[in-house]
Each structure stands twice: as C-alpha cells, then as structure tokens.
Amino acid sequence: MDYRPRFVAPTLVEAVRSLSGDEQRGFVFVRPDGQERFCSFAEIHREATRRGAHLAARGLAKGDRVALVIPDSDEFVLSFLGAIYAGVVPVPMYPQLSFKNVESYHDTVAHITRASGASLLLTTATTRPFVEPVKDKVETLGSIVSVSELEGPAPGSIDHVKISPTDHCFFQFTSGSTSRPKGVVVTHGNLAANSEAIMIHGLAKDSSVDKGVSWLPLFHDMGLIGFVIAPLFTDIPVVFLPTASFVRAPRLWLDAIHKHRGTITYAPNFAYALVAKRLKDKDVAGLDLSCVKIAGCGAEPIQAKTLRDFAEKVKPAKFDPRAFLPSYGMAEATLAITFVEHLTGAHSDTVDPKALQEGKASPASNGGQELVCCGHAFPDHEIAIVDEHGRRLGDREVGEIIARGPSITLGYYQEPELTAQSWKPYDGETWLHTGDLGYTVDGQVYICGRIKDIIIIRGRNYYPQDIEWAVSELPGIRRGNVVAFSVDVDGEEQLVICAEAFQSDAVGLIEQITSTVAGQIGLSVHKVEIVPQGSLPRTSSGKPQRRKTKQMFEAGTLPSARATRAGQSDQDAQDAQENV
C-alpha cells in the first residue's frame, strides 16, 4: 500500500527535527526521588544528534542494531533517538530490577541480542552487572557500553545519514503464550501512520493545550510509541513517571496529572483496578482531574466494572468518565488497531454466555457476560472478522480478527515461517491475522479471547480470561496472577486453575475458587494449584504464559506456595514493570 501521512512527518527523525527550535516545551522525566529533569524538544534534538554521533564513532552504521537495556526514562529516550538519528536500529529490552531469576533473564537478553544481530548493548552503570554475563553468551555481541561512556562533544557528523519511511526504525520484541521473544520489524512509515491514526484521528490532539502523563515502561510498545514516538510526531509534551514508583504508590500517577494538568494518559486494566483498590478517600481529596480528556485503556482485557470502580473512586476529583477510551492493538500492528470515539466513554455489550460459547454474541437482557467495546478501525485501515475457512462473518458472529493498513508491520525479523503464519493474503492483499477472537456490532469491535487459549469442555468454548478474572476478584488472590487451562483426564478435558497466593490461605482459597467458578462460569474445577507469588511464567511484557504453565503443571514442576509474606512490595514492582 502506497501510503503517505497527511498530518505528520514521514519519518521519526524528521518529526523530531521539526521541533528542534522549541526551547520552551518538551519532556519532563520524574526520578524515583521526585526530582524532575526537563528536556526541551530542542535539547532532545541536540542530544539525539550527539549520542548518534558517538554510536557512529564506535563503528555502528545505518541498519546495524543496538540493544538497549536502560531503566532511566530520560537516558532511554535520548539514547533511543540517538540511535535512530544515526540510522541504527534500537532493540529495547526490559531492565532487570533484582537478582531474582537472573539466569533466566540472561537467557532472554542473550536470545533477543542474538536474534536481532545487535553488535552493541547499551546500558547504565547500575544495570550493567545484570547484563555483563550476556557478553559470553552471544558471539555477535562486540561490546557492552554504559551511556556514561557516550559523554563529550560529538566526535563527528551524522548529517550524511538519510532516513526514509521504508527504513527499519526499531525492533519490538514480543513473545506469545508459548514462544520465545520474536522481533517485530517497525518502519518509520509504520510509526508515522500509527501516530497519525492515534493522535490525529483517535485523540483529536490539540498541541496548544494537550499534555501526556505516563508511567508505562518504555521498553514496551504502549509506553514507547504511545508516549514518546506519537507525541514527537504530533508536538505533544509528556511527563514520564518511574513505573516502579507508580506501583508502590498509585496515587503518584494522579498527583502528576493534577500537578502538570495532564490531558492524555493511558494504562492497562490492572492499573485502574489498582487505583480503585488502594486509594482512600483522603488520597483523592484535593486532587483536580477535570483536566483529563483521554484516559485510555488497553494492552490486556478490559473489564467494565474496573472502569466504573475507578470512576467512582475519583469522582470527587472531578474526573469525567467520558474520558475513558478503550482500545485494541498489538505490536504487530505497530500499536493501535481500533479506538472508540474520544469523549464518548466506555460502553459495553452484555451477551448470552452460552451463545458466546457457540460462536454467537447474542444480546442478553440480564445475567449475561459484559464485554467492553474497543471501537472501530482508523481511516486508511480496515478490520474484518473471519472464520477458520477465511469466510468473512457478519455482526455478532465470533471469529478471528484480521487487520490491514499502513500501520501493519513487515513481520518478524528473520523469521519467515512465523511471519507467514500471521501475515497472510486475503482479498488480494496481505492482512495481519491477529489470533484474537472477537465480533463486531455496527463496525465496533469486541474482544473475546485468543484462539490458542480457548478452553473446550463438553463441546463448549470457554475463554480463560473470564475464568481468570472471576478468580482474581477473590480476596487473597493477586489480581492478574491467575492462569486457567484444560488438561486431558481419562479422555475428557477438565479445568485446571493456577493462582498465586500464600500457603496459609490455600485451603480456603481452593474452596472459594471452586465455588466461584461453578457459580459464575458454570464449570466444575478438576484441580486448583496455589503457587508462590511471582512463580507463574510470563512473557517479557508480563502476560501469562498459559501453555508454559500447563506444561509445568503436567510435568509436576510448579512450585508450592510459601507461607511468608516478606518481600511483597519488591515483587509487586517487578511484576508491574513487566505487566503491560
């Protein structure tokens, strides 16, 4: 598709350079101790130019890859942009926050570094000990460098480096429920198209008043594209909070919105639930959230009850529920695929659970299953719902969501077989087959679950997210730390649920989980496993690896829950750093 953005620059480099004369507006980086560093758009341009020159002086040329393991948001953003200015392709990775499971972390970093072909790994002095062992694991990795080693005037010029919309901008490594991380190739053209779709068509941005506030980790697409790249394409200032600080004290998110008069913010469902659960009335007193015009929600299944609870909790702060903007997206589509209309709030569809199990989203008057509307496709983009034979389905028929348009990426880096599994021809063009199940009503999409994760018991389809959410609501269960799947027992599929909790609560929780699932889902539970906090396997972005959990269950390698509650806050911080 020959696509040229109408409202933004064609490349990220041109977008940042167009802001290089602005010394007054830019990004604010809040440190863990609360101190703030302001970088004007002009300074961002200068620093990106300087760092890019330093990378070039170390032998990196256009098209080479550099791995980034940088926990500090300011150092990450400036280094990321420096690489792009030099034509070098950055490969962001999540930084390790503790020595817990450090060997597994080394394996992940080594795999991504090797798979991307990165010849240099850029990190910080504090994070370097966590990545140093990777050097001996990756034969193509030439050196590990700290950002402090890039100090000093630019050692040369990179003005000769020309960037085009078809050039690779960065690799976004993502992993599914079973696989090791694979690198999504994101071009400058993809970013221009998706930034225009998000900020212009989706949010109707106003550069004279809008300001973003985000605590989302920058190694993940929602934080990086949603609050660094798209705002740079569209001239929007942003305030960045440390992810771990938000998790330890969720009110800091709202405090920053209040202080900086943020108009645009975004978070996964769990973050809104965390605020609703932890904040007291006294925490809301004195806050003014009337400035918020966009409170986006995405990256994981959205629960209508969570948004209602959040809105009720912050109602005294003059939060307008119409600011809610549920959305749907994935890294393979750059970021966003569908948005609801801004300033219309969250809307849901209540459907008959039994009909849904049979592939029909039939409306239910009461006692049904509530699904949140995730909106419609952007201009120049299209979505469709198809069955297993590729037949396009009509409204309220459940099938796989497929998408096409200029935001759809090229595929997985040097993974032709995996790419061919998801990027397939349809109606004469290449469409992204998302693997997600959903249906439409008048062009608005509703998400049901993942094809590979469906639980089929006695001929009926059950969506694990619904079971996991019901269990997560129980006291004593760590929200978002539940995995449901089925196993074969004497030739019949049976339900197994694994949940993180304390051993002292296990007996009572097993009974509660069994009765809750029977009452709300209508299923008998074959086995409930209570496991220690932080022990369920997750992807690099924090999503549950259901198939790996199932493999561990069947192999008998799931650990038993421990009784101690020590160290909970540190693990919570690590979980949330990886949970978007």
Side-chain angles (χ1 to χ4, degrees):
M1 178 181 291
D2 183 17
Y3 175 82
R4 292 176 175 82
R6 294 184 290 275
F7 303 104
V8 302
T11 70
L12 179 56
V13 172
E14 289 184 54
V16 181
R17 284 176 175 161
S18 71
L19 302 174
S20 62
D22 191 340
E23 299 279 4
Q24 304 303 315
R25 302 161 67 255
F27 289 168
V28 174
F29 300 98
V30 182
R31 303 188 185 279
D33 62 3
Q35 295 188 41
E36 298 179 356
R37 176 187 178 183
F38 171 70
C39 287
S40 69
F41 288 134
E43 182 182 354
I44 290 172
H45 163 71
R46 290 192 295 268
E47 187 64 8
T49 302
R50 190 188 68 79
R51 294 192 186 205
H54 273 280
L55 292 175
R58 289 180 175 270
L60 294 178
K62 182 179 178 180
D64 289 344
R65 277 78 63 201
V66 56
L68 301 184
V69 184
I70 302 176
D72 307 305
S73 56
D74 53 344
E75 297 291 356
F76 176 91
V77 169
L78 297 172
S79 299
F80 179 90
L81 293 173
I84 290 171
Y85 265 47
V88 176
V89 179
V91 183
M93 283 182 264
Y94 73 94
Q96 182 80 345
L97 299 180
S98 72
F99 283 99
K100 180 180 175 64
N101 299 323
V102 70
E103 291 185 2
S104 175
Y105 176 72
H106 292 158
D107 290 342
T108 299
V109 174
H111 165 72
I112 295 175
T113 303
R114 188 181 303 110
S116 67
S119 56
L120 185 147
L121 190 154
L122 190 59
T123 187
T124 64
T126 55
T127 312
R128 188 165 188 153
F130 295 103
V131 298
E132 197 70 51
V134 173
K135 180 71 169 59
D136 295 331
K137 293 175 177 284
V138 184
E139 58 281 358
T140 56
L141 181 59
S143 59
I144 296 178
V145 176
S146 297
V147 292
S148 58
E149 298 176 56
L150 304 183
E151 293 300 323
S157 172
I158 52 174
D159 290 342
H160 64 283
V161 178
K162 305 302 179 185
I163 306 296
S164 72
T166 57
D167 286 335
H168 297 173
C169 184
F170 77 101
F171 294 168
Q172 177 70 59
F173 270 78
T174 179
S175 56
S177 60
T178 62
S179 60
R180 292 191 300 174
K182 46 193 180 291
V184 177
V185 179
V186 186
T187 68
H188 283 268
N190 292 148
L191 291 167
N194 211 231
S195 295
E196 180 176 292
I198 293 169
M199 303 300 292
I200 306 295
H201 303 301
L203 305 185
K205 68 91 183 179
D206 182 345
S207 297
S208 67
V209 297
D210 280 334
K211 179 180 289 187
V213 174
S214 175
W215 53 264
L216 298 169
L218 298 182
F219 63 82
H220 192 263
D221 53 3
M222 192 159 76
L224 176 56
I225 299 172
F227 284 91
V228 177
I229 294 174
L232 287 172
F233 267 106
T234 54
D235 188 15
I236 300 294
V238 179
V239 178
F240 297 92
L241 306 174
T243 300
S245 297
F246 158 74
V247 177
R248 293 191 176 99
R251 178 182 162 164
L252 292 176
W253 179 26
L254 307 186
D255 286 342
I257 293 172
H258 166 92
K259 174 183 176 180
H260 292 275
R261 308 315 295 154
T263 63
I264 301 170
T265 195
Y266 232 96
N269 186 88
F270 89 87
Y272 289 103
L274 197 64
V275 169
K277 178 180 179 181
R278 288 198 188 175
L279 260 65
K280 308 298 182 185
D281 291 343
K282 63 179 181 180
D283 296 323
V284 179
L287 289 177
D288 178 7
L289 303 181
S290 61
C291 52
V292 179
K293 79 171 191 181
I294 300 293
C297 189
E300 64 180 7
I302 304 169
Q303 300 292 331
K305 180 179 181 300
T306 295
L307 301 186
R308 287 193 293 266
D309 289 346
F310 176 90
E312 184 62 28
K313 175 67 70 172
V314 298
K315 184 177 180 180
K318 295 181 284 189
F319 173 79
D320 186 348
R322 292 177 300 176
F324 282 134
L325 196 150
S327 58
Y328 165 62
M330 59 196 312
E332 289 81 352
T334 301
L335 177 58
I337 297 176
T338 65
F339 268 22
V340 302
E341 291 290 340
H342 74 287
L343 297 180
T344 61
H347 302 279
S348 57
D349 187 30
T350 303
V351 298
D352 182 345
K354 292 184 178 179
L356 195 64
Q357 293 160 14
E358 297 170 356
K360 298 289 184 182
S362 303
S365 55
N366 53 57
Q369 182 175 340
E370 191 175 16
L371 298 173
V372 174
C373 176
C374 288
H376 55 78
F378 301 109
D380 303 307
H381 297 71
E382 185 180 358
I383 61 168
I385 311 294
V386 299
D387 64 14
E388 62 271 25
H389 305 296
R391 181 177 63 91
R392 191 181 289 234
L393 301 177
D395 272 7
R396 296 196 172 277
E397 292 185 291
V398 177
E400 183 179 13
I401 301 169
I402 64 174
R404 71 178 181 94
S407 295
I408 304 303
T409 61
L410 299 178
Y412 301 121
Y413 183 65
Q414 293 189 345
E415 295 279 7
E417 293 182 2
L418 289 175
T419 297
Q421 292 174 15
S422 296
W423 282 258
K424 303 177 185 178
Y426 183 81
D427 277 355
E429 292 192 38
T430 298
W431 290 62
L432 173 65
H433 290 242
T434 67
D436 289 322
L437 287 168
Y439 65 92
T440 57
V441 179
D442 297 329
Q444 306 288 315
V445 70
Y446 295 79
I447 314 299
C448 300
R450 293 284 295 172
I451 292 175
K452 293 180 180 179
D453 292 334
I454 282 184
I455 297 170
I456 304 175
I457 296 179
R458 292 184 292 278
R460 291 187 176 274
N461 295 337
Y462 296 88
Y463 301 97
Q465 295 95 329
D466 301 331
I467 300 170
E468 292 160 0
W469 180 259
V471 174
S472 290
E473 289 287 277
L474 295 174
I477 297 293
R478 301 187 71 218
R479 189 187 298 271
N481 293 273
V482 179
V483 173
F485 53 87
S486 64
V487 295
D488 185 289
V489 180
D490 297 328
E492 184 177 357
E493 289 297 303
Q494 299 282 358
L495 177 64
V496 174
I497 296 174
C498 301
E500 293 184 4
F502 301 110
Q503 187 63 49
S504 56
D505 300 330
V507 175
L509 282 174
I510 290 172
E511 295 176 354
Q512 290 183 58
I513 289 170
T514 300
S515 61
T516 296
V517 173
Q520 294 189 24
I521 311 297
L523 276 175
S524 297
V525 181
H526 169 69
K527 180 74 171 178
V528 175
E529 288 282 355
I530 303 299
V531 301
Q533 295 193 26
S535 63
L536 289 176
R538 298 178 179 85
T539 68
S540 62
S541 59
K543 297 177 182 177
Q545 289 186 297
R546 296 188 181 93
R547 290 196 175 185
K548 188 172 181 179
T549 303
K550 177 178 178 177
Q551 291 168 359
M552 293 173 68
F553 171 81
E554 293 179 326
T557 58
L558 279 174
S560 299
R562 59 185 184 276
T564 179
R565 295 175 182 258
Q568 182 178 2
S569 61
D570 288 342
Q571 184 58 47
D572 281 347
Q574 176 70 31
D575 288 348
Q577 176 78 0
E578 303 172 11
N579 200 26
V580 290

